[in-house]
Amino acid sequence: DTAVSQTPKYLVTQMGNDKSIKCEQNLGHDTMYWYKQDSKKFLKIMFSYNNKELIINETVPNRFSPKSPDKAHLNLHINSLELGDSAVYFCASSQRGAYEQYFGPGTRLTVT
Amino acid sequence: AQSVAQPEDQVNVAEGNPLTVKCTYSVSGNPYLFWYVQYPNRGLQFLLKYITGDNLVKGSYGFEAEFNKSQTSFHLKKPSALVSDSALYFCAVRDMIKAAGNKLTFGGGTRVLVKP
C-alpha cells in the first residue's frame, strides 16, 4: 500500500495550459502539504492544509490553487502554466503532534 | 525566521568508512530537527528527528544524528557507509513554537557518494 500517492508521475504540457496534480494519503493524517523542488534540488513549501483548512500559503503566484475535498486529499491546480513552473512537485502529510512529514513520489512537471 | 545550512554540496566517502553530513540551523526558539534522504527519482524518506531529550538520536538504516545546542548543529552520521547510502540528504528545521502549520524549512541538500 502506498502511503502518499500522486498522479500523474510525469506531466508535460505547453505554456498557457491549465493542469492539475492529485495527491492522496492513506495514513489517516490531518495535515497535507505541497512542496516545489527546483532543478537545483532546492525544496520549498508552497501550501499546507489542516483538516481541509488552508494553514500555510507561501508567496506562490495566484495561478496556483490548492483544493482539499477531504483531509485525505490535496490537489494542486495550476493555471496559465509558465516555463518557470517546470519542477518536481511533492505532496506530503503529517499527523498533529508527530511533526515528521511523509512524502509522495513526486510529479515531474515540464512546461514547454 | 527559521533557516538551515548544509555547507557541503557533496560528500565522498569510501564504503566502510564513517559518513558525516553537516547541518546547522537557526530558529528564534527551540528547534525540532529532521533528516530526510532522497534517492534518484523518488520522494523524500524520513530518517530521524530530534524533538527533545537525548542529544544523540538514532534513526533508520543505521543513521544517527547529534543535536548540539551550543553549536546549533545537527550532523548526520553513519559509522560504516554502504554504496546504497549514495543519495541526496536534506536537513530540516521547524521552530517549536512559532512554525505555524508545522512549516519545515529545508537545507539545500548534500549529495553523498559512497565508492566501493
Side-chain angles (χ1 to χ4, degrees):
Chain A
D1 283 344
T2 303
V4 183
S5 59
Q6 296 178 226
T7 53
K9 190 170 173 63
Y10 299 96
L11 186 52
V12 181
T13 187
Q14 291 184 329
M15 283 173 50
N17 285 350
D18 303 340
K19 291 294 179 184
S20 291
I21 307 172
K22 295 186 177 182
C23 177
E24 176 181 3
Q25 55 93 6
N26 62 6
L27 297 167
H29 290 167
D30 58 6
T31 306
M32 296 184 72
Y33 313 80
W34 277 110
Y35 286 86
K36 180 180 180 181
Q37 187 175 45
D38 63 23
S39 58
K40 295 185 178 179
K41 306 298 184 184
F42 184 69
L43 198 67
K44 189 167 172 26
I45 192 166
M46 301 172 69
F47 302 104
S48 165
Y49 268 76
N50 179 264
N51 282 325
K52 303 195 298 176
E53 180 185 354
L54 181 65
I55 302 296
I56 296 174
N57 185 352
E58 293 291 288
T59 50
V60 175
N62 291 338
R63 300 181 294 103
F64 290 80
S65 53
K67 282 190 171 54
S68 182
D70 55 59
K71 72 175 190 177
H73 296 84
L74 181 62
N75 304 322
L76 184 65
H77 188 76
I78 315 170
N79 289 328
S80 304
L81 278 155
E82 301 177 357
L83 292 176
D85 298 332
S86 295
V88 181
Y89 292 85
F90 288 102
C91 177
S93 71
S94 69
Q95 182 61 33
R96 185 190 295 272
Y99 307 115
E100 65 267 27
Q101 298 176 17
Y102 291 87
F103 284 75
T107 296
R108 184 175 294 276
L109 171 64
T110 303
V111 182
T112 61
Chain B
Q2 51 192 43
S3 65
V4 178
Q6 293 180 242
E8 299 156 317
D9 289 338
Q10 180 158 324
V11 170
N12 297 320
V13 63
E15 188 173 33
N17 281 1
L19 169 64
T20 298
V21 185
K22 295 179 180 177
C23 170
T24 58
Y25 66 88
S26 174
V27 294
S28 53
N30 290 319
Y32 291 160
L33 294 155
F34 306 83
W35 276 101
Y36 287 82
V37 60
Q38 185 179 25
Y39 297 101
N41 299 314
R42 303 284 296 275
L44 277 71
Q45 292 180 30
F46 169 71
L47 279 179
L48 51 80
K49 66 181 177 184
Y50 171 81
I51 302 298
T52 187
D54 217 355
N55 288 346
L56 186 63
V57 179
K58 295 189 183 298
S60 306
Y61 312 122
F63 283 94
E64 58 188 29
E66 187 165 11
F67 171 62
N68 187 316
K69 188 171 183 178
S70 63
Q71 297 185 5
T72 60
S73 67
F74 190 57
H75 301 331
L76 181 70
K77 300 181 181 183
K78 186 170 184 179
S80 178
L82 301 172
V83 172
S84 57
D85 293 328
S86 299
L88 187 58
Y89 291 80
F90 289 96
C91 182
V93 69
R94 64 154 278 177
D95 189 294
M96 186 186 292
I97 302 294
K98 297 183 180 178
N102 195 28
K103 177 182 175 181
L104 289 185
T105 298
F106 285 82
T110 297
R111 190 168 300 281
V112 170
L113 180 60
V114 182
K115 297 183 178 178

